[in-house]
């Protein structure tokens, strides 16, 4: 039996409860500054900008600047931005550095589209149905809260809603480029003994192409669904193989990047078995 909490513990618990209750505002604040272009504006101001300087670059009315100031204070507490040496000056952190858009940043890939996609109404609406989905016995009618909310699975929606589908492709492409840049820069020794590599569920081949370009002794391929492969241009850098990773993975060393989280334990076992067969061949 739990001991009766003290008054101090109850007050601390209330504070934690408030933090959890309003934590969704952190995601919305992050999405807002991305859509407004705040990280890019600070970057173009030389890496530091006051509220008045941001006003010059942002589509925010003058009477809304106090609200923007409060938003920036929240994001400073989240370590998305930091305060400059002078009061009222905002600077980038490594987090907001990843959100700078435009061709004037060459040392990294911008991940703003990934964040915008992850905080889209499709996901937020689905999360509102979690409790309802958990006590619903009809699993066949809705395999996930997302399906319950939208009448189709995630990839069904990306095929139906072209705008969201394009956003998803941009987001995953950006994430693939970002990871590939780090892998190529920091993990070159891992590719020294490889001769072939298959990126299972590798989408448009962003990661595989980066590896093939950096390590030309490695023959790279991408295993994807037929409808994905059919739309891929042939550039000779990587080979696209149409197939189902649950049934077959082409013989090669296997790369699984952000794949297993999307499947049940049983399906993950199938994918890993097929991958092991490919490596052992």
């Amino acid at each position: 039996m739990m001991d009766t909490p003290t008054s101090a513990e109850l007050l601390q618990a209330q504070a934690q409860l408030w933090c959890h209750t309003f934590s969704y505002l952190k995601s919305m604040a992050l999405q807002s500054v991305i859509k407004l272009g705040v990280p890019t504006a600070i970057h173009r101001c030389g890496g530091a900008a006051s509220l008045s300087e941001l006003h010059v670059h942002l589509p925010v009315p003058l009477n809304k600047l106090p609200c923007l100031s409060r938003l920036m204070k929240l994001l400073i507490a989240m370590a998305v931005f930091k305060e400059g040496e002078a009061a009222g000056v905002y600077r980038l952190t490594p987090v907001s550095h990843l959100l700078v858009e435009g061709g004037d940043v060459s040392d990294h890939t911008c991940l703003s589209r990934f964040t915008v996609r992850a905080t889209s109404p499709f996901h937020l609406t689905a999360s509102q149905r979690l409790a309802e989905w958990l006590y619903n016995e009809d699993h066949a009618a809705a395999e996930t809260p997302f399906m319950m909310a939208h009448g189709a699975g995630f990839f069904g929606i990306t095929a139906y809603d072209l705008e969201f589908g394009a956003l998803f492709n941009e987001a995953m492409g950006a994430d693939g480029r970002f990871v590939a840049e780090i892998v190529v820069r920091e993990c070159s020794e891992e590719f020294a003994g490889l001769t072939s590599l298959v990126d299972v569920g590798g989408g448009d081949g962003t990661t595989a192409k980066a590896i093939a370009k950096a390590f030309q002794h490695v023959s790279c391929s991408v295993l994807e669904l037929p409808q994905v492969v059919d739309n891929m241009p042939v550039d000779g850098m990587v080979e696209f193989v149409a197939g189902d990773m649950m049934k077959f993975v082409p013989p090669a060393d296997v790369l699984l990047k952000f794949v297993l989280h999307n499947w049940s334990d049983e399906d993950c076992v199938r994918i890993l078995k097929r991958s092991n067969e490919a490596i052992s061949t």
Side-chain angles (χ1 to χ4, degrees), residues 110-128:
C110 176
L111 295 181
S112 62
R113 303 303 285 168
F114 185 89
T115 301
V116 171
R117 192 277 300 176
T119 56
S120 76
F122 281 108
H123 293 294
L124 298 180
T125 302
S127 69
Q128 293 286 319

Side-chain angles (χ1 to χ4, degrees), residues 27-28 43 72 112 122 129 166 181 235 240 251 262 266 281:
S27 298
M28 294 300 97
H43 174 75
M72 294 298 287
S112 62
F122 281 108
R129 306 295 292 273
E181 289 166 2
D235 59 11
F240 284 90
N262 203 39
E266 293 78 9
T281 301

Side-chain angles (χ1 to χ4, degrees), residues 85-103:
E85 295 179 1
V89 173
Y90 309 109
R91 300 186 66 88
L92 298 176
T93 65
V95 175
S96 47
H97 184 66
L98 292 176
L99 304 175
V100 174
E101 301 185 64

